[in-house]
Amino acid sequence: MAKRCEVCGKEPKAGNQISHSHILTKRRWLPNIKQVRTIVNGTVKRVRVCTRCLKAGKVKRAI
């Protein structure tokens, strides 16, 4: 499953995990993506949306 919000385009970010002894290892920060049923152009469609967009009301959820 793609870890990308279809509304705002938020996707995984990469960086380093730093241990107590300052050893760096690669890690990823994944966005909180939910698959929800929304109304798009009058039809019900499943869309992958981040929770920030859901909370902001950027998508109209289908019942």
Side-chain angles (χ1 to χ4, degrees):
M1 183 170 105
K3 293 285 186 177
R4 187 172 194 281
C5 177
E6 294 183 24
V7 176
C8 66
K10 185 183 286 190
E11 53 191 12
K13 301 293 179 193
N16 289 316
Q17 178 177 341
I18 304 177
S19 69
H20 180 70
S21 60
H22 208 75
I23 295 172
L24 304 177
T25 55
K26 289 290 189 181
R27 63 156 293 183
R28 292 174 79 197
W29 282 269
L30 299 177
N32 192 2
I33 302 290
K34 302 295 180 189
Q35 190 172 18
V36 295
R37 294 174 65 226
T38 62
I39 298 173
V40 179
N41 297 329
T43 61
V44 177
K45 184 179 178 185
R46 285 189 184 268
V47 180
R48 293 184 186 97
V49 184
C50 68
T51 53
R52 183 179 288 185
C53 291
L54 281 174
K55 188 175 181 181
K58 293 184 181 179
V59 292
K60 177 74 174 167
R61 292 187 78 159
I63 297 175

